[in-house]
Amino acid sequence: MADRIMDGETTRTEKEQEAQLRPQNFSEFIGQSKVVDNIDLMVKSALVRKTAMDHVLLSGPPGLGKTSLAMLIAKGLGSELHVVSGPAIEKKGDLAAVMTNLKPRDVLFIDEIHRMHITVEEILYSAMEDFRLDILIGQGASARTMQIDLAQFTLIGATTRSGLLSNPLRDRFTAHLNFDYYEPEMLAIIILNNARKMGITLAEDAKMQIARRSRGTPRIANRILRRVRDFALVNGTHTVGIKEVKAALSLLDIDDLGLDSMDRKILSVMKNYYQGGPVGIDALSATLGEDKQTIEEVYEPYLLKQGLILRTPRGRLLSEIAIQHIS
Ligand SMILES: Nc1ncnc2c1ncn2[C@@H]1O[C@H](COP(=O)(O)OP(=O)(O)OP(=O)(O)O)[C@@H](O)[C@H]1O
């Protein structure tokens, strides 16, 4: 996946830095009130029932807080969190090994669950429903099923594309909770908290400028904040004003709408190569030289949300606002 500032995906070093900025309790987890209200109720109910919490599917674009929330859920339940990445599990046995290690009421978090291989996914069905693994041993006439009992656990699945989940898997999640992009006012609170954790003070207009240019995504706000912090450090100040923010944004090539060079490239290709569309995702992906899935999961959702591109049955169309923005 392309390495870019607006990309919601994380790099390894960024993951380490992000750990320091993660909300440590529910009061530090800002916004997404519908999701949080549901989770709050589910956690409390599980504590009263003294059982594992129901399985939950968290969906939404990258960097909006799904992992952070999973961590808080495990903490709230007083349980251990086990994190795996869907596409990284290649064999049934790998997932079986993780699941047989779970203790009662533990939480298993599977990131990018929609990218899990179907043969691996299948062992989740009985595990989620009956806390049991059905493993087929051998082949042909001598094949038999071995059953292994599991501890009662909670599965939290995270996905950027809930529509790509198979029906049997989707149906086994009791709660389906959808993360939406954050409004600038909510992002501003997150930015202020994280600036404090980084030891810098932000002027009011500086804070709002970052909030408006972060694509509604806390992870991107954190990235901008880090660069702004670098600016402050180099200039020997702990207080950041609008001037430093503008300079950092300009270095990062982020424009007034919070779009970066790849976003603008998508819009210009649609305008210049396809006369504003309609254009299909395959053609767009070929012209841009960018993976189709990345366009659909990382770049496009925000462009759609902002009304810069429109999806029609005949393909993607550039909106009037987008045409004006890139002219
Ligand atoms: N609601 C929130 N309140 C405070 N900070 C948040 C919130 N959501 C996200 N963050 C910040 O954004 C960072 C990235 O969030 P997180 O890793 O949880 O996103 P994600 O949705 O799991 O992304 P991905 O799906 O790409 O793994 C966190 O480290 C945290 O600093």
mmCIF file of all heavy atoms in Angstrom, residues 123-151:
data_model
loop_
_atom_site.group_PDB
_atom_site.id
_atom_site.type_symbol
_atom_site.label_atom_id
_atom_site.label_comp_id
_atom_site.label_asym_id
_atom_site.label_seq_id
_atom_site.Cartn_x
_atom_site.Cartn_y
_atom_site.Cartn_z
ATOM 1 N N ILE A 123 -13.532 -22.137 10.427
ATOM 2 C CA ILE A 123 -13.431 -22.701 11.783
ATOM 3 C C ILE A 123 -13.966 -21.725 12.841
ATOM 4 O O ILE A 123 -14.174 -22.087 13.982
ATOM 5 C CB ILE A 123 -12.010 -23.189 12.159
ATOM 6 C CG1 ILE A 123 -11.028 -22.034 12.302
ATOM 7 C CG2 ILE A 123 -11.492 -24.247 11.217
ATOM 8 C CD1 ILE A 123 -9.781 -22.465 13.078
ATOM 9 N N LEU A 124 -14.202 -20.490 12.394
ATOM 10 C CA LEU A 124 -14.765 -19.521 13.348
ATOM 11 C C LEU A 124 -16.247 -19.799 13.624
ATOM 12 O O LEU A 124 -16.767 -19.427 14.672
ATOM 13 C CB LEU A 124 -14.646 -18.097 12.786
ATOM 14 C CG LEU A 124 -13.317 -17.371 12.958
ATOM 15 C CD1 LEU A 124 -13.402 -15.998 12.318
ATOM 16 C CD2 LEU A 124 -12.968 -17.232 14.448
ATOM 17 N N TYR A 125 -16.928 -20.430 12.658
ATOM 18 C CA TYR A 125 -18.381 -20.574 12.805
ATOM 19 C C TYR A 125 -18.775 -21.305 14.094
ATOM 20 O O TYR A 125 -19.533 -20.783 14.908
ATOM 21 C CB TYR A 125 -19.002 -21.282 11.588
ATOM 22 C CG TYR A 125 -18.714 -20.621 10.252
ATOM 23 C CD1 TYR A 125 -18.866 -21.322 9.062
ATOM 24 C CD2 TYR A 125 -18.290 -19.294 10.184
ATOM 25 C CE1 TYR A 125 -18.603 -20.716 7.826
ATOM 26 C CE2 TYR A 125 -18.016 -18.701 8.962
ATOM 27 C CZ TYR A 125 -18.166 -19.414 7.792
ATOM 28 O OH TYR A 125 -17.899 -18.831 6.595
ATOM 29 N N SER A 126 -18.225 -22.517 14.290
ATOM 30 C CA SER A 126 -18.588 -23.269 15.500
ATOM 31 C C SER A 126 -17.919 -22.651 16.729
ATOM 32 O O SER A 126 -18.447 -22.713 17.835
ATOM 33 C CB SER A 126 -18.197 -24.742 15.366
ATOM 34 O OG SER A 126 -16.800 -24.840 15.191
ATOM 35 N N ALA A 127 -16.761 -22.021 16.496
ATOM 36 C CA ALA A 127 -16.065 -21.395 17.636
ATOM 37 C C ALA A 127 -16.914 -20.251 18.193
ATOM 38 O O ALA A 127 -17.046 -20.094 19.405
ATOM 39 C CB ALA A 127 -14.704 -20.877 17.189
ATOM 40 N N MET A 128 -17.501 -19.458 17.301
ATOM 41 C CA MET A 128 -18.301 -18.314 17.756
ATOM 42 C C MET A 128 -19.636 -18.775 18.345
ATOM 43 O O MET A 128 -20.126 -18.200 19.309
ATOM 44 C CB MET A 128 -18.567 -17.359 16.589
ATOM 45 C CG MET A 128 -17.339 -16.613 16.123
ATOM 46 S SD MET A 128 -17.639 -15.694 14.604
ATOM 47 C CE MET A 128 -18.530 -14.251 15.209
ATOM 48 N N GLU A 129 -20.219 -19.811 17.740
ATOM 49 C CA GLU A 129 -21.563 -20.210 18.148
ATOM 50 C C GLU A 129 -21.554 -21.111 19.373
ATOM 51 O O GLU A 129 -22.319 -20.908 20.318
ATOM 52 C CB GLU A 129 -22.228 -20.950 16.994
ATOM 53 C CG GLU A 129 -23.705 -20.618 16.892
ATOM 54 C CD GLU A 129 -24.189 -20.882 15.485
ATOM 55 O OE1 GLU A 129 -24.136 -22.046 15.052
ATOM 56 O OE2 GLU A 129 -24.579 -19.915 14.824
ATOM 57 N N ASP A 130 -20.683 -22.095 19.364
ATOM 58 C CA ASP A 130 -20.710 -23.118 20.428
ATOM 59 C C ASP A 130 -19.414 -23.188 21.217
ATOM 60 O O ASP A 130 -19.218 -24.117 21.994
ATOM 61 C CB ASP A 130 -20.957 -24.502 19.797
ATOM 62 C CG ASP A 130 -22.226 -24.508 18.966
ATOM 63 O OD1 ASP A 130 -23.225 -23.932 19.423
ATOM 64 O OD2 ASP A 130 -22.199 -25.054 17.850
ATOM 65 N N PHE A 131 -18.497 -22.270 20.987
ATOM 66 C CA PHE A 131 -17.186 -22.296 21.632
ATOM 67 C C PHE A 131 -16.548 -23.679 21.486
ATOM 68 O O PHE A 131 -16.169 -24.329 22.460
ATOM 69 C CB PHE A 131 -17.291 -21.865 23.109
ATOM 70 C CG PHE A 131 -17.888 -20.486 23.243
ATOM 71 C CD1 PHE A 131 -19.173 -20.296 23.733
ATOM 72 C CD2 PHE A 131 -17.180 -19.370 22.826
ATOM 73 C CE1 PHE A 131 -19.730 -19.037 23.811
ATOM 74 C CE2 PHE A 131 -17.737 -18.107 22.914
ATOM 75 C CZ PHE A 131 -19.014 -17.941 23.396
ATOM 76 N N ARG A 132 -16.503 -24.099 20.242
ATOM 77 C CA ARG A 132 -15.988 -25.430 19.928
ATOM 78 C C ARG A 132 -15.289 -25.372 18.575
ATOM 79 O O ARG A 132 -15.738 -24.675 17.672
ATOM 80 C CB ARG A 132 -17.187 -26.386 19.839
ATOM 81 C CG ARG A 132 -16.868 -27.843 19.854
ATOM 82 C CD ARG A 132 -18.102 -28.654 19.515
ATOM 83 N NE ARG A 132 -18.457 -28.453 18.108
ATOM 84 C CZ ARG A 132 -19.708 -28.341 17.644
ATOM 85 N NH1 ARG A 132 -20.737 -28.398 18.455
ATOM 86 N NH2 ARG A 132 -19.927 -28.157 16.367
ATOM 87 N N LEU A 133 -14.177 -26.085 18.479
ATOM 88 C CA LEU A 133 -13.493 -26.156 17.183
ATOM 89 C C LEU A 133 -13.803 -27.491 16.544
ATOM 90 O O LEU A 133 -13.662 -28.532 17.193
ATOM 91 C CB LEU A 133 -11.971 -26.071 17.373
ATOM 92 C CG LEU A 133 -11.337 -24.712 17.601
ATOM 93 C CD1 LEU A 133 -9.824 -24.883 17.723
ATOM 94 C CD2 LEU A 133 -11.652 -23.775 16.450
ATOM 95 N N ASP A 134 -14.264 -27.463 15.306
ATOM 96 C CA ASP A 134 -14.467 -28.709 14.560
ATOM 97 C C ASP A 134 -13.348 -28.798 13.550
ATOM 98 O O ASP A 134 -13.329 -28.049 12.579
ATOM 99 C CB ASP A 134 -15.820 -28.670 13.815
ATOM 100 C CG ASP A 134 -16.981 -28.754 14.789
ATOM 101 O OD1 ASP A 134 -16.796 -29.323 15.886
ATOM 102 O OD2 ASP A 134 -18.065 -28.233 14.455
ATOM 103 N N ILE A 135 -12.422 -29.694 13.798
ATOM 104 C CA ILE A 135 -11.284 -29.792 12.888
ATOM 105 C C ILE A 135 -11.344 -31.109 12.127
ATOM 106 O O ILE A 135 -11.469 -32.177 12.738
ATOM 107 C CB ILE A 135 -9.944 -29.716 13.660
ATOM 108 C CG1 ILE A 135 -9.950 -28.468 14.528
ATOM 109 C CG2 ILE A 135 -8.744 -29.809 12.721
ATOM 110 C CD1 ILE A 135 -9.011 -27.384 14.164
ATOM 111 N N LEU A 136 -11.296 -31.014 10.805
ATOM 112 C CA LEU A 136 -11.340 -32.206 9.973
ATOM 113 C C LEU A 136 -9.923 -32.771 9.848
ATOM 114 O O LEU A 136 -9.001 -32.075 9.444
ATOM 115 C CB LEU A 136 -11.898 -31.833 8.585
ATOM 116 C CG LEU A 136 -12.248 -33.015 7.679
ATOM 117 C CD1 LEU A 136 -13.465 -33.775 8.225
ATOM 118 C CD2 LEU A 136 -12.530 -32.518 6.260
ATOM 119 N N ILE A 137 -9.797 -34.039 10.220
ATOM 120 C CA ILE A 137 -8.472 -34.670 10.136
ATOM 121 C C ILE A 137 -8.505 -35.740 9.045
ATOM 122 O O ILE A 137 -9.463 -36.504 8.938
ATOM 123 C CB ILE A 137 -8.091 -35.340 11.475
ATOM 124 C CG1 ILE A 137 -8.181 -34.319 12.600
ATOM 125 C CG2 ILE A 137 -6.688 -35.913 11.423
ATOM 126 C CD1 ILE A 137 -8.008 -34.933 13.958
ATOM 127 N N GLY A 138 -7.491 -35.797 8.245
ATOM 128 C CA GLY A 138 -7.396 -36.803 7.181
ATOM 129 C C GLY A 138 -8.223 -36.420 5.971
ATOM 130 O O GLY A 138 -8.834 -35.345 5.920
ATOM 131 N N GLN A 139 -8.227 -37.319 5.000
ATOM 132 C CA GLN A 139 -8.923 -37.050 3.747
ATOM 133 C C GLN A 139 -9.727 -38.262 3.325
ATOM 134 O O GLN A 139 -9.450 -39.386 3.758
ATOM 135 C CB GLN A 139 -7.910 -36.734 2.646
ATOM 136 C CG GLN A 139 -7.354 -35.333 2.760
ATOM 137 C CD GLN A 139 -6.316 -35.052 1.686
ATOM 138 O OE1 GLN A 139 -5.724 -35.972 1.138
ATOM 139 N NE2 GLN A 139 -6.113 -33.792 1.390
ATOM 140 N N GLY A 140 -10.707 -38.054 2.464
ATOM 141 C CA GLY A 140 -11.473 -39.152 1.867
ATOM 142 C C GLY A 140 -12.218 -39.962 2.921
ATOM 143 O O GLY A 140 -12.721 -39.414 3.907
ATOM 144 N N ALA A 141 -12.268 -41.279 2.717
ATOM 145 C CA ALA A 141 -13.085 -42.150 3.565
ATOM 146 C C ALA A 141 -12.606 -42.162 5.017
ATOM 147 O O ALA A 141 -13.385 -42.312 5.944
ATOM 148 C CB ALA A 141 -13.063 -43.567 3.010
ATOM 149 N N SER A 142 -11.297 -41.980 5.212
ATOM 150 C CA SER A 142 -10.774 -42.058 6.583
ATOM 151 C C SER A 142 -10.866 -40.717 7.324
ATOM 152 O O SER A 142 -10.447 -40.610 8.467
ATOM 153 C CB SER A 142 -9.323 -42.532 6.556
ATOM 154 O OG SER A 142 -8.562 -41.565 5.867
ATOM 155 N N ALA A 143 -11.414 -39.697 6.670
ATOM 156 C CA ALA A 143 -11.492 -38.374 7.305
ATOM 157 C C ALA A 143 -12.453 -38.407 8.489
ATOM 158 O O ALA A 143 -13.473 -39.075 8.453
ATOM 159 C CB ALA A 143 -11.959 -37.346 6.281
ATOM 160 N N ARG A 144 -12.093 -37.706 9.560
ATOM 161 C CA ARG A 144 -13.024 -37.605 10.697
ATOM 162 C C ARG A 144 -12.897 -36.219 11.322
ATOM 163 O O ARG A 144 -11.890 -35.526 11.129
ATOM 164 C CB ARG A 144 -12.778 -38.709 11.714
ATOM 165 C CG ARG A 144 -11.412 -38.673 12.308
ATOM 166 C CD ARG A 144 -11.039 -39.979 12.972
ATOM 167 N NE ARG A 144 -9.632 -39.971 13.309
ATOM 168 C CZ ARG A 144 -9.132 -39.509 14.458
ATOM 169 N NH1 ARG A 144 -9.934 -39.030 15.372
ATOM 170 N NH2 ARG A 144 -7.837 -39.510 14.678
ATOM 171 N N THR A 145 -13.928 -35.837 12.057
ATOM 172 C CA THR A 145 -13.918 -34.509 12.666
ATOM 173 C C THR A 145 -13.523 -34.619 14.130
ATOM 174 O O THR A 145 -14.063 -35.443 14.870
ATOM 175 C CB THR A 145 -15.327 -33.863 12.580
ATOM 176 O OG1 THR A 145 -15.736 -33.900 11.233
ATOM 177 C CG2 THR A 145 -15.319 -32.437 13.066
ATOM 178 N N MET A 146 -12.564 -33.785 14.512
ATOM 179 C CA MET A 146 -12.161 -33.773 15.910
ATOM 180 C C MET A 146 -12.738 -32.509 16.553
ATOM 181 O O MET A 146 -12.692 -31.442 15.945
ATOM 182 C CB MET A 146 -10.635 -33.727 15.972
ATOM 183 C CG MET A 146 -10.071 -34.222 17.278
ATOM 184 S SD MET A 146 -8.280 -34.241 17.176
ATOM 185 C CE MET A 146 -7.893 -32.647 17.827
ATOM 186 N N GLN A 147 -13.293 -32.644 17.716
ATOM 187 C CA GLN A 147 -13.871 -31.470 18.374
ATOM 188 C C GLN A 147 -13.023 -31.062 19.575
ATOM 189 O O GLN A 147 -12.639 -31.902 20.372
ATOM 190 C CB GLN A 147 -15.293 -31.771 18.819
ATOM 191 C CG GLN A 147 -16.203 -32.064 17.635
ATOM 192 C CD GLN A 147 -17.663 -32.095 18.029
ATOM 193 O OE1 GLN A 147 -17.992 -32.350 19.182
ATOM 194 N NE2 GLN A 147 -18.527 -31.839 17.069
ATOM 195 N N ILE A 148 -12.757 -29.758 19.647
ATOM 196 C CA ILE A 148 -11.994 -29.242 20.795
ATOM 197 C C ILE A 148 -12.835 -28.153 21.454
ATOM 198 O O ILE A 148 -13.269 -27.214 20.782
ATOM 199 C CB ILE A 148 -10.647 -28.636 20.329
ATOM 200 C CG1 ILE A 148 -9.826 -29.662 19.543
ATOM 201 C CG2 ILE A 148 -9.855 -28.089 21.507
ATOM 202 C CD1 ILE A 148 -8.606 -29.073 18.857
ATOM 203 N N ASP A 149 -13.068 -28.287 22.746
ATOM 204 C CA ASP A 149 -13.833 -27.249 23.449
ATOM 205 C C ASP A 149 -12.958 -26.034 23.706
ATOM 206 O O ASP A 149 -11.773 -26.170 24.026
ATOM 207 C CB ASP A 149 -14.359 -27.793 24.785
ATOM 208 C CG ASP A 149 -15.516 -28.752 24.562
ATOM 209 O OD1 ASP A 149 -16.234 -28.569 23.561
ATOM 210 O OD2 ASP A 149 -15.667 -29.699 25.365
ATOM 211 N N LEU A 150 -13.555 -24.870 23.546
ATOM 212 C CA LEU A 150 -12.822 -23.617 23.775
ATOM 213 C C LEU A 150 -13.393 -22.908 24.988
ATOM 214 O O LEU A 150 -14.548 -23.144 25.372
ATOM 215 C CB LEU A 150 -12.981 -22.687 22.564
ATOM 216 C CG LEU A 150 -12.449 -23.168 21.223
ATOM 217 C CD1 LEU A 150 -12.882 -22.199 20.123
ATOM 218 C CD2 LEU A 150 -10.922 -23.267 21.267
ATOM 219 N N ALA A 151 -12.604 -21.997 25.540
ATOM 220 C CA ALA A 151 -13.133 -21.143 26.616
ATOM 221 C C ALA A 151 -14.142 -20.185 25.990
ATOM 222 O O ALA A 151 -14.034 -19.848 24.808
ATOM 223 C CB ALA A 151 -11.985 -20.366 27.237
#
